[in-house]
Amino acid sequence: MNSQPKEVVYNLEASAFNWDISPGKTIEAWGFNKQIPGPELRAIVGDTLVVRLTNNLQEPTMIHWHGLRIPAAMDGTGAVQKPVAPGEVFEYRFVLPDAGTFWYHSHANETEQLEKGMYGALIVEDTTDPVFDAEKVLMIDDMKLNSDNKFTKPGWFVPRIVERHDGREGDTLLISGKEDSVIGIAAGQTERWRLINASSARYITLYLGGKEFKIIGTDGGLLEHPRTVTSVLITPGERIDIAAGPFEEGETFAMESLPYNRSTFLKAKRQQFATVKVGKQKTSVAFIPETFRTIESLANKDAIITRKVRLSVGPSLKDGMDFLVNGDVHVNDKLVKVGELQIWEVSNTSLMDHPFHLHGFFFQVIEENGKAPEYRAWKDTVNLTPRSTMKIAWMPDNRPGTWMYHCHILEHHAAGMMAEFEVIDGNKPQEELNPVRKHHHN
Ligand SMILES: [Cu+2]
């Protein structure tokens, strides 16, 4: 528990700037405080975060707080705020309700603003967090640059269709804004690595030279128990916290992504993001308990479905294909009442993967293709493989307003695979609702 909650204030300036992704390789980036990622924001659960955003870009922007259970007005989407115009300032202010690995990113013209670097990490600590020897925040991204290190949009029909279908993937692979990083760790020590997939579309299957590591947390904070693995999938928007080490002095191995076939035109490759180098032996104080916490089950797999959300792809004369929710683009979905448990069947009838992201609320996956999942976790983003069905459970607590869900492949989101819906306080008369909601494309 945080016995003395405080106000933590940051100033973020959105602007264009030059950024060296490796020696001699400079890009014309957009970002926060002239760095990629933007400043790492850090506070303790219960603190109030205050972020003053100044927009010095040539176009509007706003910040979405990915994974945070905050009031709707602070969600940073076009549904709840006027985008911050060039030269203007907007203050975000909210209490941090949960500990975990979160991130912030632009929610305006996302396919361009995120691709150019408008994202950063938000780490919320708890005084009861497990003890590690050190901690690293590793934001994973890729950029698609031409031979002059410039961002270009595909001009021709076929490349444009490929980017719309696959999402934008590039061969410039970044860990926290840098190519070919070296990640150092002392021999004998165990560190907490907080991994955030900030890319537009790339699926990362994290692999550390075949070495075992422990998954300790995901989107909504710590799991109940650590899980020992040698690889883990992190889809766009998702976070995974791992316990890395202990390793032997002098060891060197690659931090890679194994190929993941998500039925794209461009075939997935095994790719190296960074190199891990193990330094001199140091004593360790790290302690990873067998149980981190209890996650109460919201519902079991047989719970009655209250809503169906079907993700699909349909033909479009103009762009080759549309990305759909329940057969439509940019959908206004039915309202949800505070306190009424939601059991959503989310299905994917297309032949490609989609990472489903719900704003503002954590959910639990209670059924995956007819089976109960192996373990419980709080999630805000979950992958749907081709022709798959998932049941998720979530509780709308008392934060009325307009919320949204969408595919976190940014090109799919922009192409229509998104919906807005109202969370309403059922005890209030309906007239207080805004009867007409515009379509928003952010
Ligand atoms: Cu998608």
Side-chain angles (χ1 to χ4, degrees), residues 53-121:
L53 167 66
T54 305
N55 183 11
N56 286 330
L57 290 171
Q58 303 291 320
E59 64 178 49
T61 192
M62 54 196 155
I63 298 178
H64 169 55
W65 306 92
H66 187 121
L68 273 86
R69 299 192 303 150
I70 55 183
M74 293 288 112
D75 194 42
T77 69
V80 296
Q81 76 167 97
K82 200 161 75 62
V84 184
E88 283 186 357
V89 178
F90 186 86
E91 185 178 279
Y92 295 93
R93 172 185 290 266
F94 44 83
V95 174
L96 297 164
D98 302 288
T101 302
F102 303 100
W103 64 302
Y104 60 94
H105 62 77
S106 157
H107 217 281
N109 186 19
E110 277 179 84
T111 52
E112 188 172 4
Q113 293 193 5
L114 251 105
E115 169 75 355
K116 288 185 171 176
M118 295 193 62
Y119 59 80

Side-chain angles (χ1 to χ4, degrees), residues 165 203 311 323 352-355 407-409 411-413 417:
H165 176 281
Y203 279 44
L311 309 178
F323 289 79
M352 65 180 102
D353 291 60
H354 300 287
C407 174
H408 218 283
I409 290 175
E411 287 70 23
H412 295 179
H413 176 189
M417 196 175 267

Side-chain angles (χ1 to χ4, degrees), residues 202-278:
R202 181 176 291 269
Y203 279 44
I204 312 288
T205 304
L206 181 75
Y207 187 72
L208 299 174
K211 295 182 184 307
E212 286 187 342
F213 55 89
K214 290 187 172 77
I215 303 172
I216 65 163
T218 178
D219 303 340
L222 294 168
L223 299 178
E224 292 189 297
H225 314 287
R227 298 172 52 79
T228 302
V229 297
T230 54
S231 69
V232 61
L233 178 66
I234 317 173
T235 66
E238 273 189 305
R239 286 85 68 209
I240 294 284
D241 283 22
I242 67 168
F247 305 118
E248 303 279 324
E249 190 169 324
E251 279 188 292
T252 296
F253 51 88
M255 174 183 279
E256 289 173 291
S257 177
L258 299 179
Y260 180 88
N261 179 9
R262 59 181 183 92
S263 314
T264 46
F265 288 125
L266 304 175
K267 285 299 157 231
K269 291 175 281 194
R270 178 172 176 164
Q271 282 172 306
Q272 181 166 350
F273 277 77
T275 305
V276 180
K277 285 194 171 151
V278 185

